[in-house]
Amino acid sequence: MAKAEFTATGVGIGRRLRSLTRAGQVRIADGRLELLNSCGSEIDSAPLRAVRASRPWFAPEDRALADLDGTRYVLTLGGRDPDPGEPGPPAARRFIEAVRRASGRGG
């Protein structure tokens, strides 16, 4: 398995109004985006060519939308990047940039 291009832990993952996990993990590796629950089990995954990431309108800075093969998830990441050595998820903006960069759509 190749080194992950992006990893975030402690991520809230939800679908519509339902929370799937409050301490999930988001990982981009080997050309795929994976959403994992707090136990490490897969919630969903898709090849990056089938993933879109964006910021929702009128939402806090820590939110990002991830559309995996037509299934939309709301991700609650950190509002800011943590300091080196400080725990916490990276900013939503960094997640969106990582998806675009890894899928070859710029960034």
Side-chain angles (χ1 to χ4, degrees), residues 60-107:
E61 287 288 318
D62 64 347
R63 301 276 164 84
L65 295 176
D67 193 320
L68 282 72
D69 273 333
T71 305
R72 180 169 286 181
Y73 294 93
V74 177
L75 308 177
T76 304
L77 295 115
R80 63 173 182 79
D81 286 326
D83 295 329
E86 179 183 316
R93 174 186 48 76
R94 213 172 110 220
F95 163 72
I96 295 167
E97 290 170 0
V99 169
R100 290 181 180 159
R101 187 173 44 252
S103 65
R105 291 184 217 137

Side-chain angles (χ1 to χ4, degrees), residues 13-61:
I13 301 173
R15 184 160 179 232
R16 296 192 183 183
L17 297 176
R18 183 173 170 227
S19 174
L20 301 175
T21 184
R22 290 183 175 180
Q25 183 176 2
V26 176
R27 184 171 43 205
I28 297 173
D30 299 328
R32 294 186 69 79
L33 173 68
E34 298 175 323
L35 303 178
L36 308 171
N37 67 15
S38 57
C39 297
S41 298
E42 184 176 291
I43 294 171
D44 201 353
S45 71
L48 284 167
R49 68 181 184 287
V51 174
R52 290 186 326 184
S54 61
R55 281 231 341 104
W57 289 17
F58 305 111
E61 287 288 318

